[in-house]
Amino acid sequence: MATVIAVTQDQMRVARRIEQSCGYLELGMARQALANLEGLSTDGQLEGALQYMRGQALRMQQKFGDAVAPLAAAAELLPDAASRHIWLVLAECHRASSGGAVVANTLALARGANLPVG
């Protein structure tokens, strides 16, 4: 039996804008991608993808410090298979902006380590 998934107009709008921003990034147009995401928010399943796109657009603009927060949020929200890539990108941003132990911990997370909390 087929399952029906209810999708709101707002979710469709966010998904469309994320897809458009992905296209901008593929064309190297990070500023346009970020502008396209301006003002969007979602508390649903698309939040991880939205944060990832924001982080990638900022990273492509070499705003590494600004890219850390959205990429970290995306890594926490998306499934493990996707988050491993994000942790690697996040480590690159940490290396470019601050360095130190944060880079080592982020690389450990990318490799699947479970770091102690605290």
Side-chain angles (χ1 to χ4, degrees), residues 10 13-19 21 25 33-34 36-58 70-71 73-74 77-78 86:
D10 189 51
R13 182 178 58 83
V14 170
R16 192 174 317 112
R17 298 259 299 271
I18 290 171
E19 184 179 19
S21 294
L25 289 182
L34 202 52
N36 191 49
L37 297 172
E38 187 75 29
L40 289 182
S41 67
T42 176
D43 57 356
Q45 297 174 340
L46 297 174
E47 186 63 28
L50 179 61
Q51 293 301 328
Y52 176 71
M53 293 305 297
R54 280 193 179 117
Q56 284 289 62
L58 290 164
L71 287 172
L77 292 168
L78 292 172
I86 298 169

Coordinates of all heavy atoms in Angstrom, one line a residue, residues 10 13-19 21 25 33-34 36-58 70-71 73-74 77-78 86:
D10 N 5.0 25.7 2.4 CA 6.3 26.3 2.9 C 7.5 25.3 2.7 O 8.6 25.7 2.3 CB 6.1 26.7 4.4 CG 7.3 27.5 4.9 OD1 7.7 28.5 4.3 OD2 7.9 27.1 5.9
R13 N 8.5 25.4 -0.8 CA 9.2 26.6 -1.1 C 10.7 26.5 -0.7 O 11.6 26.8 -1.4 CB 8.5 27.8 -0.5 CG 9.2 29.1 -0.8 CD 8.4 30.3 -0.2 NE 8.3 30.2 1.3 CZ 9.2 30.5 2.1 NH1 10.3 31.1 1.7 NH2 9.0 30.4 3.4
V14 N 10.9 26.0 0.6 CA 12.2 25.8 1.1 C 13.0 24.8 0.3 O 14.2 25.1 -0.1 CB 12.2 25.4 2.6 CG1 13.5 25.0 3.1 CG2 11.6 26.5 3.4
A15 N 12.4 23.7 -0.1 CA 13.1 22.7 -0.9 C 13.5 23.2 -2.2 O 14.6 23.0 -2.7 CB 12.2 21.5 -1.0
R16 N 12.6 24.0 -2.8 CA 12.9 24.6 -4.1 C 14.1 25.6 -4.0 O 15.0 25.6 -4.9 CB 11.7 25.3 -4.7 CG 11.8 25.7 -6.1 CD 10.5 26.3 -6.7 NE 9.3 25.6 -6.3 CZ 8.4 26.0 -5.5 NH1 8.5 27.3 -5.0 NH2 7.3 25.3 -5.2
R17 N 14.1 26.4 -3.0 CA 15.2 27.3 -2.8 C 16.5 26.7 -2.5 O 17.6 27.1 -2.9 CB 14.8 28.4 -1.7 CG 13.6 29.2 -2.0 CD 13.8 30.6 -2.5 NE 14.5 31.4 -1.7 CZ 14.0 32.2 -0.8 NH1 12.7 32.3 -0.6 NH2 14.8 33.0 0.0
I18 N 16.5 25.6 -1.7 CA 17.7 24.8 -1.5 C 18.2 24.2 -2.8 O 19.4 24.3 -3.0 CB 17.4 23.7 -0.4 CG1 17.2 24.3 1.0 CG2 18.6 22.7 -0.4 CD1 16.7 23.3 2.0
E19 N 17.4 23.7 -3.6 CA 17.8 23.1 -4.9 C 18.4 24.2 -5.8 O 19.4 24.0 -6.4 CB 16.6 22.5 -5.6 CG 16.9 21.8 -6.9 CD 15.7 21.1 -7.5 OE1 14.6 21.5 -7.1 OE2 15.9 20.3 -8.4
S21 N 19.8 27.0 -4.8 CA 21.1 27.4 -4.2 C 22.2 26.4 -4.5 O 23.4 26.7 -4.7 CB 21.0 27.6 -2.7 OG 20.1 28.7 -2.4
L25 N 25.8 27.1 -6.3 CA 27.1 26.6 -5.8 C 27.8 25.8 -6.9 O 29.1 26.0 -7.0 CB 26.9 25.8 -4.6 CG 26.5 26.6 -3.3 CD1 26.5 25.6 -2.1 CD2 27.5 27.7 -3.0
A33 N 23.9 32.0 -4.0 CA 23.3 30.9 -3.3 C 22.9 31.4 -1.9 O 21.9 31.1 -1.4 CB 24.4 29.8 -3.2
L34 N 23.8 32.2 -1.3 CA 23.5 32.7 0.1 C 22.4 33.6 0.1 O 21.5 33.6 0.9 CB 24.8 33.3 0.7 CG 24.9 33.4 2.2 CD1 24.7 32.1 2.9 CD2 26.2 34.0 2.5
N36 N 19.9 33.6 -2.0 CA 18.7 32.8 -2.3 C 18.2 32.2 -1.0 O 17.0 31.9 -0.9 CB 19.0 31.8 -3.3 CG 17.8 31.1 -3.9 OD1 16.8 31.8 -4.2 ND2 17.8 29.8 -3.9
L37 N 19.1 31.9 -0.1 CA 18.7 31.2 1.2 C 18.3 32.2 2.3 O 17.8 31.9 3.3 CB 19.9 30.4 1.7 CG 20.3 29.2 0.8 CD1 21.5 28.6 1.4 CD2 19.1 28.2 0.7
E38 N 18.6 33.5 2.0 CA 18.3 34.6 3.0 C 16.8 34.5 3.5 O 15.9 34.4 2.7 CB 18.5 35.9 2.3 CG 18.4 37.1 3.3 CD 19.7 37.2 4.2 OE1 20.8 36.8 3.7 OE2 19.5 37.6 5.3
G39 N 16.7 34.5 4.8 CA 15.4 34.6 5.4 C 14.7 33.2 5.5 O 13.6 33.1 6.1
L40 N 15.3 32.2 5.0 CA 14.6 30.8 5.1 C 14.9 30.2 6.4 O 16.0 30.3 7.0 CB 15.1 29.9 4.0 CG 14.7 30.2 2.6 CD1 15.3 29.1 1.7 CD2 13.2 30.2 2.4
S41 N 14.0 29.5 7.0 CA 14.1 28.7 8.2 C 13.1 27.6 8.1 O 12.0 27.8 7.5 CB 14.0 29.5 9.4 OG 12.7 30.0 9.6
T42 N 13.4 26.5 8.8 CA 12.5 25.4 8.9 C 12.8 24.7 10.1 O 14.0 24.6 10.5 CB 12.6 24.5 7.6 OG1 11.7 23.4 7.8 CG2 14.0 24.0 7.4
D43 N 11.8 24.2 10.8 CA 12.1 23.4 12.0 C 11.8 21.9 11.6 O 11.8 21.1 12.5 CB 11.2 23.8 13.1 CG 9.7 23.8 12.8 OD1 9.3 23.5 11.6 OD2 8.9 24.0 13.7
G44 N 11.8 21.6 10.4 CA 11.5 20.3 9.9 C 12.7 19.5 9.4 O 13.8 19.8 9.7
Q45 N 12.4 18.6 8.5 CA 13.4 17.7 8.0 C 14.4 18.4 7.0 O 15.4 17.9 6.8 CB 12.7 16.6 7.2 CG 11.9 15.7 8.1 CD 11.1 14.7 7.3 OE1 10.9 14.8 6.1 NE2 10.7 13.6 7.9
L46 N 14.1 19.6 6.6 CA 15.0 20.3 5.6 C 16.0 21.2 6.3 O 16.8 21.7 5.7 CB 14.1 21.1 4.7 CG 13.2 20.3 3.8 CD1 12.3 21.2 2.9 CD2 14.0 19.4 2.9
E47 N 15.9 21.3 7.6 CA 16.8 22.2 8.4 C 18.3 21.8 8.2 O 19.2 22.6 8.0 CB 16.5 22.2 9.8 CG 17.3 23.2 10.6 CD 17.1 24.7 10.2 OE1 16.0 25.0 9.7 OE2 18.0 25.5 10.4
G48 N 18.6 20.5 8.2 CA 20.0 20.1 8.0 C 20.5 20.5 6.6 O 21.6 21.0 6.5
A49 N 19.7 20.2 5.6 CA 20.1 20.6 4.2 C 20.2 22.1 4.1 O 21.2 22.6 3.4 CB 19.1 20.1 3.2
L50 N 19.4 22.9 4.7 CA 19.4 24.3 4.6 C 20.7 24.8 5.3 O 21.4 25.7 4.7 CB 18.2 24.9 5.3 CG 18.1 26.4 5.4 CD1 18.0 27.0 4.0 CD2 16.8 26.8 6.2
Q51 N 21.0 24.3 6.5 CA 22.2 24.7 7.1 C 23.5 24.3 6.4 O 24.5 25.1 6.3 CB 22.3 24.1 8.6 CG 21.2 24.7 9.5 CD 21.3 26.2 9.6 OE1 22.4 26.8 9.6 NE2 20.2 26.9 9.8
Y52 N 23.5 23.1 5.8 CA 24.6 22.7 5.0 C 24.8 23.6 3.8 O 26.0 24.0 3.5 CB 24.4 21.3 4.4 CG 25.4 20.8 3.5 CD1 26.7 20.5 4.0 CD2 25.2 20.6 2.2 CE1 27.7 20.0 3.2 CE2 26.2 20.2 1.3 CZ 27.4 19.9 1.8 OH 28.4 19.4 1.0
M53 N 23.8 24.0 3.1 CA 23.9 24.9 2.0 C 24.5 26.3 2.4 O 25.3 26.9 1.7 CB 22.6 25.1 1.2 CG 22.1 23.8 0.5 SD 23.3 23.1 -0.6 CE 23.4 24.5 -1.8
R54 N 24.0 26.8 3.5 CA 24.5 28.1 4.1 C 26.0 27.9 4.4 O 26.8 28.8 4.0 CB 23.8 28.4 5.3 CG 22.4 29.1 5.1 CD 21.9 29.7 6.4 NE 20.6 30.3 6.1 CZ 19.5 30.0 6.6 NH1 19.4 29.1 7.6 NH2 18.4 30.6 6.3
G55 N 26.4 26.9 5.0 CA 27.8 26.7 5.4 C 28.7 26.5 4.2 O 29.8 27.1 4.1
Q56 N 28.2 25.8 3.2 CA 29.0 25.6 2.0 C 29.2 27.0 1.2 O 30.2 27.3 0.7 CB 28.4 24.6 1.1 CG 28.6 23.2 1.5 CD 30.1 22.7 1.4 OE1 31.0 23.3 2.0 NE2 30.3 21.7 0.6
A57 N 28.1 27.7 1.2 CA 28.2 29.0 0.5 C 29.2 30.0 1.2 O 30.0 30.6 0.5 CB 26.8 29.7 0.4
L58 N 29.1 30.0 2.5 CA 30.1 30.8 3.3 C 31.5 30.3 3.1 O 32.4 31.1 2.9 CB 29.7 30.8 4.8 CG 28.4 31.6 5.1 CD1 27.9 31.2 6.5 CD2 28.6 33.1 4.9
P70 N 26.8 27.0 10.8 CA 25.8 26.2 10.0 C 26.3 24.8 9.6 O 25.5 23.9 9.6 CB 25.6 27.1 8.8 CG 26.6 28.1 8.8 CD 27.2 28.2 10.2
L71 N 27.6 24.6 9.4 CA 28.1 23.3 9.1 C 28.0 22.4 10.3 O 27.6 21.2 10.1 CB 29.5 23.4 8.6 CG 29.7 23.9 7.2 CD1 31.1 24.2 6.8 CD2 29.0 23.0 6.1
A73 N 25.8 22.6 12.7 CA 24.3 22.3 12.8 C 23.9 21.2 11.8 O 23.2 20.3 12.2 CB 23.5 23.5 12.6
A74 N 24.4 21.3 10.6 CA 24.1 20.4 9.5 C 24.6 19.0 9.9 O 23.9 18.0 9.7 CB 24.6 20.8 8.2
L77 N 22.4 17.4 12.4 CA 21.0 17.1 11.9 C 20.9 16.0 10.8 O 19.9 15.3 10.8 CB 20.4 18.4 11.4 CG 20.1 19.5 12.4 CD1 19.7 20.8 11.7 CD2 18.9 19.0 13.3
L78 N 21.9 15.9 10.0 CA 21.9 15.0 8.9 C 22.3 13.6 9.3 O 23.1 13.4 10.3 CB 22.7 15.5 7.7 CG 22.1 16.8 7.1 CD1 23.1 17.3 6.1 CD2 20.7 16.5 6.4
I86 N 30.5 16.3 6.1 CA 30.4 17.6 6.7 C 31.4 17.8 7.7 O 32.0 18.9 7.8 CB 28.9 17.8 7.2 CG1 27.9 17.7 6.0 CG2 28.8 19.2 7.9 CD1 26.5 17.6 6.5

